[in-house]
Amino acid sequence: MSGYVGRLAPSPTGALHLGNVRTFAIAWLRARSLGGKMIMRMEDLDHPRDKPGAAAQAIDDLRWLGFDWDEEFVQSERHPFYRSVLAQLDAYPCVCSRRDVESAQSAPHSGEQLFYPGTCRGRFRSWEEAAEACAPRTPCWRFRVPPDTTIDFDDAFAGHVAQDISATLGDFPLARDPDGAGYTLAATADDLDMGVTEVVRGDDLLPATPPQILIARALGREPPSYCHVPLVVGPDGRRLAKRHGDTRIAAFRAAGVSPERIIGWIAYTCGLSATDEPASLAGLVGRFSLAAIPHAAVVISSIPFARGNH
Ligand code: GLU
């Protein structure tokens, strides 16, 4: 095995669909084509949004499609680890609601990234004190960003990215949990702890990356490399969702579509195959190349694998 370590990090907030699975296939093929190791990490820390049974269903769907992995982790079992990481970071509790942060913007903002001016810096002595002040809402931990903090990195697919975090984001949230068990802290700490060498994921997470690199450096570690690939979108250009029709893997399985049809479609959309003829994941390892993947998002205008075409 090479030293490459990749990971699949599903969130059990819903069923896997063609979009998630295409990204996972790219991550898996990238690791296996480089002779690397694969980690399965269930990111089940989003309590109100996590759906019962979705984690087991995701694992079952992925196995059915031909995925495998060498190690498995469940984030909800790792609270003590996240607590120990949080203790190493310069973080403080914040009680501001999204609306508070929005109304503190000095200029109209576009997109999802809000600038946080540090309202709660030095305001609370402890998480408990903050929790009391904003009950029944839950505070969040924020990372104290030093002045003039610019992060830049070369993404294996998206190219060069540079962001002045102190000017555009401010003290960003780490987790909405007393132990620090929330996406930004947990994913970053886990990638380091699990020895992940490259993160391959959807480009909706590109904006999450500079903060994750900053956290890694604050922990005295070198971050992994990153590779953000385009998403599958509906005809409206938005990320694949229910309104675009049923593209859940479970629905295709129930309709008798074979895993090879689904993988064949993925191979075609990734430029690994001239047609969407059936294929197996393992069979694509020798053909995989990041350079073959188109840079535009994949648009689904009608559901593939029409009835009678299995
Ligand atoms: N669990 C996240 C998601 O499903 C992915 C996190 C990551 O790849 O860093 O959106």
Side-chain angles (χ1 to χ4, degrees):
M1 274 205 179
S2 68
Y4 187 100
V5 181
R7 40 72 150 193
L8 305 172
S11 293
T13 48
L16 289 187
H17 55 63
L18 284 181
N20 321 121
V21 160
R22 178 180 184 268
T23 303
F24 289 146
I26 295 170
W28 188 91
L29 288 166
R30 170 86 163 156
R32 295 307 193 205
S33 67
L34 294 169
K37 190 170 109 173
M38 198 42 144
I39 285 170
M40 157 60 66
R41 182 170 79 223
M42 192 50 68
E43 300 207 324
D44 58 346
L45 296 177
D46 195 351
H47 301 301
R49 293 179 60 232
D50 286 348
K51 304 239 163 42
Q57 178 73 50
I59 297 234
D60 192 59
D61 283 345
L62 289 170
R63 290 229 167 88
W64 177 79
L65 286 164
F67 286 86
D68 65 359
W69 44 87
D70 307 291
E71 281 180 72
E72 206 170 305
F73 297 92
V74 177
Q75 285 191 324
S76 59
E77 295 169 358
R78 295 169 57 80
H79 274 252
F81 171 64
Y82 304 133
R83 204 178 310 136
S84 73
V85 173
L86 177 65
Q88 297 169 55
L89 294 172
D90 189 1
Y92 62 88
C94 163
V95 298
C96 297
S97 64
R98 186 177 170 90
R99 182 171 303 191
D100 294 335
V101 182
E102 270 166 9
S103 55
Q105 304 298 297
S106 53
H109 60 92
S110 58
E112 285 176 9
Q113 292 204 312
L114 287 177
F115 177 75
Y116 180 75
T119 318
C120 289
R121 269 194 188 201
R123 211 171 142 192
F124 302 102
R125 273 167 308 176
S126 66
W127 173 270
E128 288 71 24
E129 196 181 302
E132 206 167 295
C134 71
R137 287 188 303 109
T138 308
C140 73
W141 287 108
R142 286 187 180 270
F143 181 93
R144 193 188 301 267
V145 177
D148 302 321
T149 300
T150 294
I151 295 289
D152 71 314
F153 65 101
D154 286 307
D155 187 278
F157 195 86
H160 187 74
V161 177
Q163 184 181 11
D164 179 341
I165 300 193
S166 37
T168 58
L169 210 51
D171 298 346
F172 54 82
L174 289 166
R176 194 171 288 286
D177 174 89
D179 293 333
Y183 171 67
T184 301
L185 184 145
T188 310
D190 279 347
D191 285 336
L192 298 173
D193 188 56
M194 296 168 190
V196 170
T197 61
E198 186 181 66
V199 170
V200 179
R201 60 187 175 190
D203 62 11
D204 55 327
L205 287 168
L206 200 50
T209 309
Q212 294 180 352
I213 291 174
L214 183 55
I215 295 168
R217 301 222 166 110
L219 292 168
R221 303 282 299 274
E222 257 318 291
S225 307
Y226 292 89
C227 175
H228 288 88
V229 295
L231 298 180
V232 177
V233 299
D236 55 359
R238 310 270 304 270
R239 181 209 312 227
L240 211 54
K242 279 206 184 103
R243 66 177 173 283
H244 300 123
D246 197 349
T247 64
R248 290 172 305 136
I249 303 308
F252 295 132
R253 286 177 76 171
V257 178
S258 68
E260 290 77 16
R261 284 297 316 272
I262 297 173
I263 300 297
W265 176 86
I266 290 173
Y268 175 61
T269 66
C270 288
L272 303 177
S273 191
T275 68
D276 64 356
E277 67 192 346
S280 74
L281 209 44
L284 293 174
V285 170
R287 264 196 258 166
F288 180 76
S289 156
L290 214 46
I293 301 175
H295 276 258
V298 178
V299 183
I300 292 200
S301 40
S302 64
I303 307 290
F305 328 120
R307 202 177 282 274
N309 188 19
H310 301 164

